[in-house]
Amino acid sequence: MMNNRAENILDHKHISPTPMRQLVLEILLNKKSAVSINEIEKTLYPADRITIYRTLKTFEQKGLVHKIEDGNNSLKYALCQNDCNDEEHHDIHVHFSCRQCKETFCLPKTQIPSISLPQEYQPEEISLTVKGICKDCLPTMQ
């Protein structure tokens, strides 16, 4: 039986709660870090990769997830803040990519600093990923 929380979130974002969408959302809800399409595919094997991709695309369009380019040629997905919607994303925060465990984390309390661009440049999105060692891996390095 599906989690009511997942179904409620999908309903709130005006996303039809198909079984695949509920399963993908469950994975995102249960991870403390961002997740790649490969990780989702392995968890939901033998689910179709294209269906998973379309699910994530729908989630992104509706303001439920945002994409993270972790700087290692890997695209990952994480849940958005509550105020994101199908009009715009408000996830202007720093992401942290751990070099040891390869996990990528959203740091919503760490905002990206304001950047002043020349007037003839119009920004459309900003991304900042810090690479280093996460709090879970630090003790193993000492």
Side-chain angles (χ1 to χ4, degrees), residues 1-141:
M1 178 145 183
M2 280 301 133
N3 181 333
N4 277 344
R5 180 175 177 214
E7 198 169 336
N8 290 339
I9 291 169
L10 292 172
D11 186 54
H12 177 72
K13 292 290 184 177
H14 307 289
I15 301 170
S16 176
T18 65
M20 178 59 75
R21 289 173 178 171
Q22 290 183 25
L23 288 169
V24 171
L25 182 53
E26 284 292 327
I27 291 168
L28 291 164
L29 287 168
N30 290 320
K31 287 280 290 182
K32 65 178 184 174
S33 59
V35 62
S36 71
I37 194 166
N38 288 339
E39 291 174 79
I40 296 171
E41 190 177 24
K42 285 177 189 171
T43 304
L44 298 179
Y45 181 83
D48 179 47
R49 182 181 186 87
I50 292 168
T51 303
I52 295 168
Y53 173 78
R54 287 181 182 148
T55 296
L56 290 167
K57 188 74 175 162
T58 298
F59 286 2
E60 184 182 13
Q61 290 169 342
K62 294 289 191 172
L64 183 56
V65 301
H66 61 279
K67 286 190 286 195
I68 304 165
E69 295 175 24
D70 70 358
N72 297 315
N73 296 326
S74 180
L75 192 59
K76 295 184 177 180
Y77 297 85
L79 291 171
C80 287
Q81 302 299 303
N82 289 335
D83 59 348
C84 292
N85 57 50
D86 55 0
E87 299 288 319
E88 61 183 322
H89 286 264
H90 300 281
D91 290 294
I92 310 297
H93 58 259
V94 172
H95 296 99
F96 188 90
S97 179
C98 180
R99 293 183 186 269
Q100 184 147 340
C101 67
K102 309 297 184 217
E103 297 287 337
T104 301
F105 303 90
C106 290
L107 302 177
K109 292 182 181 173
T110 307
Q111 298 295 304
I112 294 177
S114 178
I115 298 172
S116 232
L117 295 175
Q119 199 170 25
E120 60 273 12
Y121 293 92
Q122 179 64 43
E124 292 183 349
E125 64 181 75
I126 296 174
S127 174
L128 176 60
T129 302
V130 176
K131 294 180 183 180
I133 307 300
C134 73
K135 63 181 181 178
D136 293 335
C137 292
L138 272 176
T140 65
M141 297 201 57

